[in-house]
């Protein structure tokens, strides 16, 4: 009660001190937002008015503050004239604009063009049943899909707890020591496992063996990755082919699938002993639902376990996005790729979650990294975790038993017609030899198509099928009757079904150990409790629903409801990635249109949508460049020049593509050192493969010498990779092709409004010049790419296909003119912000006209010298003002990189600037000695409600100053849920990870 009294007294004093402002400004702005329609027939729900934050009056106000009377004059001083493109390049003539209602109608038409066949194709993809409480309140909730990666843990405790649930779920089901917070998909996770095995031998052993029961899309991705690292990939029978001594002497790892792609459950315990005797690692791809019944890989000797978690409540979505899981033994934890969540404590001693270990190791190790993982699939991992929380171990096993029972039933019934299952040991997948009954497997497929279902196509003699949670009695009857029809037998009915009594799993491979004993998986099983748990977690996280997230180089713009809505429509959500082409005409048309629009925007000739993250796009683009050089007999070209200011993923991606990185200097003003570039291009001209450059630069300016830099590379035989992380500043004003690039990737989760999802999903398609188009990525199941395409870089042919809908809708609703206007306003917002902060903070870089690009870099080094204040102190204090901090200590350790995007209104931009200016005044009090250097409002930030309402207050500033430094915080205040995370405590306790369900409960395992 004392705590409550303290808080109430504080709030009442603040209300008296800060009268609530009248919302007249907001009302006036709303009236001024909508533009006058061009005619009676023009739509009123135009998207640009909703997406672009500042209205015409606000734009004019910002231009005037900067000294301009027109947007054109401002852009002329911001974007170099020699790289400008015609206004017709991206216009409503090249990309016509649709209103929000017109877009909905167009999306519905494309959805209806996808035939509603039910797929039993399997191969790692299932018809997941998404619990409605999770669908509505997580997948469709902006509170879950708009936050950024939880690098600021004090305002991300909800997501972090949910991701710990995901990690705990994976560890428990696989019986492994540690698991990460998800990877991009199963195939790329397998590739990460292969590279872990390779680096585990210090590169001395180069042979990696993949069992022929591994899914073909995984084999294709392994092939691509193996080439870059010089790994010798062999595919064969792991149980029969590892007797060769020479092979075993060079063996670094073996990959098996459990159950395999054909459904067979094999005993790999003996294989594990054999592999370990050679010093190699055993990697196992598996299925989480199957592991509720099968002996987990951790109990029979696997070193790394991975797979796709999507059958835990994530739609198929024509291939994704889906969260891969990745777990390993304790001794491998420091080499594990991706993000890892663990438990630490805040400065008050309160337990708190945070990212653990070197979760962005590519930014730390750069060209020494062996993985370029820069994102995960946080939103999908959270959905899978919520699915497990909702169902719990008992219901998960019941689901598995039903799926397995139905699979047994089908096997017995179909074999009565003369077909023969290739294995008697299976979980949910059957492969039938049909040659004794029909002349060709096509007879069975024809009967299946006539019944509105898809089976797996293998060859002329075999047919496969996979069941899942969505299968009901009528589906079983239909499936059996397909085989009956092909065999000229009469149909059956549900009354003819006879369930099997015993599982088709050998006793030695049945699970006997318990799983998911943690309270979180045994508590929230009513919808009421589940709903409250979801909302309890989301209340701890700051997202775009609360405030601007001005993260430089991250482009946290509006994720519009109108572009998100089609995502969960069954016509798009329930499509298998390997469905026949004639059944996915809606998707095909959408993909064609998106590829075309992205080519118009970038100025390039062709596009691949397969890469499922920005870093994956970098890797794909560089692999395409390597293939191009090889086609010209210049495969020896393996030098990649990269500026020292580049994203950390750039050098990591180059190494993965088999390139050697040579850094290029930058000048003190942030511009690329062209003389150093020229000298190094000349030095390496015989081996120069590529040059990677980000434009505008990571320092937040349009460099005038970008075309000169690209010409230097071309003159010395190399190709130019233009990192599209900052494409939001270019659209309609310039483009990567005009700048001189040969290939670029785009972050659809930045420029084209796919939500960041709290740390994924992302999409990183590449666009290429005409001479590189033949080398775009292929796929082993669905034809994609060029006629000389590199092998696949992702599991699904179009990567995270379902969320392509969002970027397609974004582009279609803005149209060419709206896209160009969005880039102009993004530039304007950043420059206005730079203007407002000038005089308070040092702007590190600007062009000759005093302009920045779409983001600005402020240097805080002076405050460290004067008062011992670090970048983190300013960042944590911003949390007290209700803002997510900008990008901190990157690309320069003493700086903040700020990007407001075009979606933020003048009011929100001013609110952020007011906060930064007030923090500057607080810093001045420390500099002048009014506040002590070691105990002040910045060093103690953030201030959660538990601190503000505490019985004792012995700080040299008031509670009001800590919690309500600005009057508008009384109206709208987001509270951090913990105090600053103690970095020292983190490294003491979190050199490894706890597996927890709640912070006040005991861990599943002791800390390492």
């Amino acid at each position: 009660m004392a705590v409550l009294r303290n808080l109430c007294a504080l709030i009442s004093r603040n209300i008296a001190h800060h009268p609530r402002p009248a919302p007249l400004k907001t009302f006036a702005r709303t009236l001024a937002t909508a533009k006058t329609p061009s005619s009676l027939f023009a739509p009123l729900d135009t998207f640009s008015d909703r997406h672009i934050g500042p209205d015409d009056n606000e734009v004019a106000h910002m231009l005037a503050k900067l000294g301009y009377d027109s947007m054109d004059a401002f852009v002329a001083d911001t974007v170099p004239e020699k790289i400008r493109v015609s206004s017709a390049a991206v216009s409503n003539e090249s990309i016509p604009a649709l209103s929000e209602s017109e877009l909905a109608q167009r999306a519905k038409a494309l959805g209806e063009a996808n035939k509603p066949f039910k797929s039993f194709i399997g191969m790692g993809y299932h018809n997941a049943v998404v619990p409605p409480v999770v669908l509505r309140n997580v997948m469709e909730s902006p509170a879950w899909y708009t936050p950024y990666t939880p690098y600021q843990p004090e305002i991300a405790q909800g997501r972090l707890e949910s991701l710990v649930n995901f990690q705990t779920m994976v560890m428990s089901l696989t019986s492994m020591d540690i698991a990460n917070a998800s990877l991009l998909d199963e195939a790329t996770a397998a590739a990460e496992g292969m590279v872990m095995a390779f680096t585990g031998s210090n590169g001395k052993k180069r042979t990696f063996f993949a069992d022929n029961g591994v899914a073909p899309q995984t084999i294709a991705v392994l092939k691509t990755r193996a080439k870059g690292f010089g790994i010798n990939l062999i595919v064969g029978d792991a149980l029969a082919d590892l007797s060769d001594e020479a092979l075993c002497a060079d063996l670094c790892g073996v990959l098996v699938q459990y159950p395999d792609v054909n459904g067979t459950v094999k005993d790999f315990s003996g294989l594990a002993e054999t592999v370990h005797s050679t010093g190699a690692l055993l990697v196992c791809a598996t299925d989480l639902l199957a592991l509720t019944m099968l002996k987990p890989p951790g109990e029979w000797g696997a070193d790394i376990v991975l797979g796709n978690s999507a059958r835990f409540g994530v739609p198929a979505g024509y291939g994704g996005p889906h969260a891969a899981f990745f777990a390993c033994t304790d001794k491998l934890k420091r080499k594990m790729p991706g993000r890892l969540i663990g438990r630490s404590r805040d400065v008050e001693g309160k337990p708190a979650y945070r990212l653990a270990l070197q979760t962005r190791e590519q930014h730390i190790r750069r060209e020494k990294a062996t993985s370029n993982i820069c994102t995960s699939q946080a939103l999908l991992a959270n959905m899978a975790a919520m699915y497990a929380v909702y169902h719990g171990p008992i219901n998960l096993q019941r689901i598995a038993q039903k799926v397995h029972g139905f699979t047994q039933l089908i096997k017995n019934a179909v074999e009565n017609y003369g077909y023969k299952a290739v294995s008697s040991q299976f979980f949910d997948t059957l492969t039938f030899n049909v040659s004794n009954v029909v002349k060709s497997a096509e007879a069975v497929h024809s009967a299946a198509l006539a019944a509105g279902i898809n089976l797996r196509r293998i060859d002329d003699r075999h047919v496969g099928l996979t069941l899942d949670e969505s299968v009901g009695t009528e589906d079983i009857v239909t499936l059996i009757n397909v085989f009956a029809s092909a065999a000229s037998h009469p149909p059956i009915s549900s009354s003819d079904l006879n369930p099997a009594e015993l599982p088709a799993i050998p006793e030695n491979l049945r699970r006997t150990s318990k799983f998911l004993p943690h309270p979180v998986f045994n508590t929230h099983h009513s919808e009421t409790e589940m709903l409250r748990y979801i909302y309890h977690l989301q209340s701890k996280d700051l997202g775009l629903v609360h405030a601007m997230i001005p993260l430089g180089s991250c482009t946290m713009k509006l994720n519009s409801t109108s572009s998100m809505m089609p995502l969960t429509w069954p016509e798009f959500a329930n499509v298998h990635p390997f469905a026949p082409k004639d059944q996915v005409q809606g998707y095909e048309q959408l993909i064609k249109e998106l590829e075309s629009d992205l080519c118009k925007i970038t100025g390039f000739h062709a596009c691949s949508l397969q890469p499922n993250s920005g870093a994956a796009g970098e890797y794909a683009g560089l692999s395409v460049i390597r293939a191009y050089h090889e086609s010209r007999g210049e495969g020896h070209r393996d030098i990649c020049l990269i500026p020292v200011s580049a994203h950390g993923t750039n050098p990591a991606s180059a190494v993965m593509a088999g390139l050697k990185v040579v850094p290029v200097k930058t000048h003190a003003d942030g511009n690329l050192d062209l003389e150093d570039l020229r000298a190094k291009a000349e030095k390496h001209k015989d081996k120069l493969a590529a040059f990677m450059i980000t434009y505008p630069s990571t320092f937040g300016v349009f460099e005038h010498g970008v075309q000169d830099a690209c010409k230097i590379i071309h003159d010395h035989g190399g190709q130019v990779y233009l990192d599209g992380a900052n494409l939001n500043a270019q659209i309609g004003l310039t483009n990567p092709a005009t700048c001189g690039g040969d290939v670029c990737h785009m972050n659809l989760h930045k420029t084209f409004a796919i939500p960041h999802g709290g740390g994924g999903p992302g999409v990183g398609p590449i666009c290429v010049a005409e001479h590189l188009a033949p080398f775009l990525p292929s796929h082993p199941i669905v034809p994609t790419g060029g006629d000389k395409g590199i092998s696949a870089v992702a599991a699904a042919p179009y990567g995270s296909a379902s969320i392509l809908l969002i970027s397609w809708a974004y582009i279609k609703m803005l149209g060419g003119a709206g896209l160009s206007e969005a880039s102009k306003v993004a530039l304007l917002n950043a420059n206005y912000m730079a203007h407002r902060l000038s005089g308070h903070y040092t702007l590190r870089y600007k062009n000759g006209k005093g302009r920045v690009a779409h983001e600005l870099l402020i240097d805080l080094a002076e405050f460290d010298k004067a008062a011992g204040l670090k970048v983190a102190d300013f960042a944590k204090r911003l949390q007290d003002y209700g803002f997510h901090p900008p990008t901190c200590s990157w690309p320069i350790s003493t700086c903040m990189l700020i990007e407001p995007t075009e979606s933020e209104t003048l009011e929100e931009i001013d609110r952020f600037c007011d906060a930064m200016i007030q923090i500057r005044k607080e810093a001045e009090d420390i500099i002048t000695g009014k506040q002590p250097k070691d105990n002040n409002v910045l060093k103690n930030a953030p201030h959660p409600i538990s601190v503000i309402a505490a019985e004792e207050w012995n700080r040299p500033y008031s509670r009001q100053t800590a919690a309500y430094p600005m009057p508008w915080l009384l109206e709208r205040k987001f509270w951090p849920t913990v105090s600053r995370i103690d970095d020292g405590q983190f490294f003491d306790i979190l050199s490894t990870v706890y597996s927890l369900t709640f912070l006040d409960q005991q861990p599943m395992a002791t800390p390492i």
Side-chain angles (χ1 to χ4, degrees):
M1 289 302 295
V3 171
L4 182 60
R5 285 196 303 272
N6 288 338
L7 185 60
C8 291
L10 173 63
I11 293 174
S12 64
R13 289 198 301 271
N14 282 337
I15 291 173
H17 184 73
H18 294 309
R20 178 176 295 181
L24 294 177
K25 181 178 179 181
T26 303
F27 180 67
R29 188 202 169 276
T30 303
L31 292 179
T33 299
K35 295 180 175 61
T36 303
S38 58
S39 75
L40 177 64
F41 304 103
L44 298 179
D45 57 338
T46 53
F47 181 63
S48 60
D49 293 333
R50 302 300 186 189
H51 174 74
I52 298 174
D55 63 21
D56 291 344
N57 291 336
E58 293 175 339
V59 167
H61 170 81
M62 288 190 284
L63 287 170
K65 287 292 184 181
L66 297 175
Y68 298 98
D69 58 7
S70 72
M71 181 69 85
D72 289 343
F74 161 72
V75 171
D77 279 357
T78 306
V79 185
E81 179 63 30
K82 62 182 179 180
I83 63 167
R84 291 291 300 279
V85 296
S86 166
S87 59
V90 181
S91 65
N92 280 357
E93 285 69 41
S94 61
I95 304 176
L98 299 177
S99 69
E100 291 184 278
S101 56
E102 289 169 340
L103 185 282
Q105 293 172 5
R106 172 74 173 139
K108 181 61 69 175
L110 289 179
E112 291 172 351
N114 294 327
K115 297 179 181 178
F117 279 49
K118 185 158 187 176
S119 291
F120 298 88
I121 298 170
M123 302 179 70
Y125 299 95
H126 303 86
N127 303 302
V129 176
V130 188
V133 67
V134 175
L135 177 68
R136 179 69 175 269
N137 300 292
V138 178
M139 187 175 187
E140 296 179 342
S141 171
W144 283 91
Y145 65 66
T146 66
Y148 189 62
T149 304
Y151 294 123
Q152 298 290 337
E154 298 87 355
I155 51 175
Q157 287 297 297
R159 255 169 309 133
L160 288 167
E161 179 174 320
S162 183
L163 290 172
V164 166
N165 291 343
F166 177 83
Q167 293 176 178
T168 303
M169 170 189 79
V170 172
M171 292 167 61
S172 183
L173 286 168
T174 61
S175 288
M176 300 299 288
D177 297 327
I178 195 166
N180 71 15
S182 77
L183 293 177
L184 299 176
D185 62 32
E186 181 174 319
T188 55
E192 296 287 345
M194 175 180 69
V195 174
M196 274 184 69
F198 171 65
T199 57
S201 72
N202 295 318
K204 296 178 181 178
K205 295 183 176 182
R206 293 187 168 272
T207 297
F208 188 83
F209 194 100
D211 186 69
N212 50 24
V214 172
Q217 67 269 22
T218 299
I219 297 294
V221 171
L222 290 178
K223 179 180 176 182
T224 314
R225 190 74 60 92
K227 184 174 183 179
F229 283 95
I231 297 171
N232 176 31
L233 178 65
I234 297 176
V235 180
D237 186 341
L239 293 178
D241 296 346
L242 290 181
S243 56
D244 183 270
E245 291 186 7
L247 186 155
C248 289
D250 193 48
L251 190 68
C252 65
V254 175
L255 172 66
V256 296
Q257 191 112 21
Y258 175 74
D260 73 14
V261 70
N262 297 313
T264 305
V265 176
K266 299 176 182 177
D267 185 352
F268 291 120
S269 57
L271 176 66
E273 293 178 3
T274 300
V275 170
H276 292 155
S277 70
T278 70
L281 299 180
L282 183 60
V283 185
C284 174
T286 191
D287 177 285
L288 292 180
L289 190 66
L291 294 185
T292 66
M293 295 185 67
L294 296 179
K295 186 176 183 179
E299 294 181 11
W300 49 253
D303 300 288
I304 298 171
V305 182
L306 56 93
N308 184 355
S309 68
R311 77 184 302 170
F312 275 27
V314 179
Y318 201 37
H322 298 148
F325 60 88
F326 193 99
C328 64
T329 58
D330 176 73
K331 68 179 180 180
L332 298 175
K333 62 179 180 288
R334 293 189 179 274
K335 295 183 179 296
M336 183 169 60
R339 296 184 180 131
L340 190 66
I341 315 300
R343 191 180 79 162
S344 182
R345 294 186 182 276
D346 70 7
V347 294
E348 302 296 322
K350 182 180 179 180
Y353 295 116
R354 65 165 294 172
L355 293 171
L357 302 180
Q358 295 184 350
T359 53
R360 300 192 78 182
E361 61 118 26
Q362 81 288 352
H363 286 291
I364 299 167
R365 303 189 66 204
R366 296 177 69 83
E367 66 271 13
K368 295 180 181 179
T370 56
S371 171
N372 69 348
I373 293 295
C374 188
T375 190
S376 60
Q377 301 282 26
L379 181 65
L380 300 317
N382 284 328
M383 289 179 66
M386 291 297 184
Y387 179 93
V389 168
Y390 193 43
H391 284 298
I394 294 175
N395 277 337
L396 286 177
Q397 194 162 61
R398 286 172 180 166
I399 292 169
Q401 289 168 344
K402 184 170 184 178
V403 170
H404 182 60
F406 276 170
T407 309
Q408 288 178 281
L409 194 155
I410 288 178
K411 174 184 177 292
N412 295 339
V414 169
E415 285 191 328
N416 286 336
Y417 302 131
Y419 303 99
K420 181 64 178 175
V422 299
S423 176
S424 60
Q425 301 179 180
F426 54 85
F427 169 63
D428 65 355
T429 296
L430 298 168
T431 298
F432 289 105
N433 185 329
V434 300
S435 59
N436 290 336
V437 181
V438 294
K439 293 182 179 179
S440 169
E442 189 58 40
V444 179
H445 289 298
S446 295
L449 292 174
I453 61 176
N454 296 313
L455 302 177
R456 180 186 168 209
R457 292 178 179 271
I458 301 174
D459 55 35
D460 285 343
R461 296 167 55 88
H462 296 90
V463 171
L465 63 87
T466 296
L467 304 189
D468 51 55
E469 181 189 1
S470 73
V471 174
T473 304
E474 291 305 312
D475 295 310
I476 299 299
V477 171
T478 300
L479 280 167
I480 293 171
N481 283 336
V482 162
F483 287 90
S485 173
S488 301
H489 282 268
I492 68 163
S493 67
S494 58
S495 61
D496 299 315
L497 299 178
N498 295 305
E501 294 183 3
L502 297 175
I505 299 170
E507 190 169 350
N508 67 314
L509 291 179
R510 296 176 192 172
R511 182 165 198 142
T512 57
S513 57
K514 292 183 179 181
F515 57 92
L516 304 181
H518 323 83
V520 73
F521 299 110
N522 294 276
T523 304
H524 311 290
H525 297 163
S526 75
E527 183 168 332
T528 301
E529 286 303 312
M530 188 67 193
L531 187 66
R532 288 171 182 164
Y533 182 60
I534 290 170
Y535 274 75
H536 169 65
L537 294 189
Q538 78 177 41
S539 70
K540 301 180 179 185
D541 291 10
L542 188 148
L544 286 174
V545 297
H546 301 102
M548 175 198 305
I549 301 180
L551 285 156
S553 197
C554 297
T555 317
M556 298 293 291
K557 63 172 65 179
L558 169 73
N559 314 124
S560 74
T561 305
S562 52
S563 64
M564 295 287 291
M565 284 178 63
L567 184 64
T568 54
W569 293 350
E571 300 95 319
F572 294 110
N574 296 343
V575 181
H576 194 284
F578 306 150
K581 286 276 188 178
D582 67 324
Q583 295 177 19
V584 291
Q585 290 303 298
Y587 259 120
E588 291 291 310
Q589 182 61 32
L590 182 148
I591 288 167
K592 180 180 178 181
E593 291 179 13
L594 180 57
E595 289 176 341
S596 174
D597 288 343
L598 292 177
C599 285
K600 293 171 185 175
I601 289 166
T602 60
F604 284 127
H605 177 76
C607 177
S608 170
L609 297 171
Q610 192 175 115
N612 48 13
S613 78
E618 294 173 10
Y619 166 64
L622 292 170
S623 297
V624 164
I625 287 174
R626 293 223 68 187
Y628 166 74
H629 286 311
E630 289 169 0
S631 75
R632 293 159 52 88
E634 296 185 327
H636 61 278
R637 290 189 174 271
D638 63 354
I639 297 295
C640 185
L641 303 181
I642 301 178
V644 295
S645 61
H647 286 268
T649 53
N650 285 181
S653 297
V655 169
M656 287 172 57
L659 298 171
K660 299 172 184 176
V661 175
V662 174
V664 178
K665 298 176 183 177
T666 57
H667 290 299
D669 63 1
N671 288 327
L672 182 70
D673 187 334
L674 290 179
E675 291 308 311
D676 188 53
L677 178 68
R678 183 177 287 107
K680 286 172 177 172
E682 175 64 29
K683 178 181 178 180
H684 299 287
K685 63 182 179 182
D686 294 331
K687 299 190 71 177
L688 182 60
F691 169 55
M692 299 186 80
I693 184 171
T694 302
Y695 199 73
S697 77
T698 56
F699 293 144
V701 291
F702 284 98
E703 296 183 48
H704 284 263
V706 63
Q707 290 177 323
D708 298 330
C710 294
K711 186 176 186 302
I712 290 171
I713 300 304
H714 290 145
D715 287 348
H716 290 85
Q719 295 286 291
V720 175
Y721 183 99
L722 199 147
D723 186 316
N726 294 338
L727 188 66
N728 203 50
Q730 296 187 36
I731 301 178
L733 306 176
T734 184
N735 62 48
T738 298
C739 291
D742 299 290
V743 55
C744 77
H745 86 269
M746 294 145 287
N747 297 88
L748 297 192
H749 50 288
K750 296 182 182 181
T751 307
F752 299 104
I754 290 175
H756 282 70
V763 180
I766 57 173
C767 285
V768 298
E770 187 171 6
H771 64 283
L772 296 180
F775 307 98
L776 288 174
S778 61
H779 194 272
I781 310 298
V782 178
T784 63
D787 55 6
K788 301 176 183 177
I790 62 172
S791 49
V793 296
Y798 300 106
S800 297
S802 67
I803 56 175
L804 299 178
L805 274 159
I806 301 168
S807 294
W808 169 82
Y810 172 84
I811 293 171
K812 292 304 182 189
M813 287 191 292
L814 277 180
L819 289 164
S820 299
E821 185 66 17
S823 286
K824 293 175 184 177
V825 174
L827 297 176
L828 178 61
N829 282 353
N831 278 273
Y832 173 78
M833 186 176 281
H835 168 77
R836 280 220 57 198
L837 296 179
S838 65
H840 304 283
Y841 296 94
T842 300
L843 182 64
R844 186 67 181 262
Y845 298 115
K846 54 189 175 182
N847 69 11
K849 300 285 187 177
R851 302 275 70 90
V852 298
H854 65 306
E855 56 192 359
L856 56 144
L857 194 66
I858 62 171
D859 198 336
L860 305 177
E862 62 186 280
F863 301 102
D864 189 9
K865 295 176 182 177
L869 294 174
K870 309 291 186 182
V871 173
D873 298 320
F874 286 83
K876 303 308 180 184
R877 182 57 174 155
L878 262 174
Q879 295 179 14
D880 286 329
Y881 287 77
F883 284 106
H884 192 293
T887 299
C888 295
S889 301
W890 188 89
I892 298 174
S893 62
T894 59
C895 291
M896 277 184 170
L897 187 62
I898 309 171
E899 181 182 359
T901 84
E902 71 276 8
S903 294
E904 300 300 340
T905 63
L906 176 59
E907 180 181 10
E908 183 73 352
I909 291 170
D910 277 336
R911 198 167 71 90
F912 176 82
C913 291
D914 290 342
M916 289 294 293
I917 292 168
Q918 183 64 24
I919 293 172
R920 174 62 180 85
K921 293 176 182 177
E922 294 171 345
E924 186 64 23
D925 286 345
I926 302 167
I927 293 171
T928 59
K930 292 180 180 179
Q931 289 286 316
K933 290 185 177 181
D934 60 348
N935 181 20
N936 54 66
V937 74
L938 271 76
K939 285 293 183 182
N940 294 334
H943 299 81
I945 198 167
S946 58
V947 168
I948 296 298
E951 192 71 31
E952 294 185 10
W953 184 265
N954 55 8
R955 305 188 182 196
Y957 50 89
S958 69
R959 298 178 198 253
Q960 176 181 310
T961 298
Y964 298 103
M966 298 295 284
W968 37 261
L969 288 166
L970 290 167
E971 175 111 12
R972 189 171 69 183
K973 168 78 174 176
F974 181 88
W975 290 91
T977 53
V978 294
S979 296
R980 191 180 306 197
I981 305 297
D982 187 331
D983 287 340
Q985 182 73 16
F986 166 73
F987 286 113
D988 287 343
I989 294 179
L990 273 187
S991 56
T992 55
V993 175
Y994 283 100
S995 286
L996 297 178
T997 51
F998 298 113
L999 288 173
D1000 59 351
Q1001 294 172 347
Q1002 292 299 310
M1004 186 180 79
T1006 55
I1008 302 163

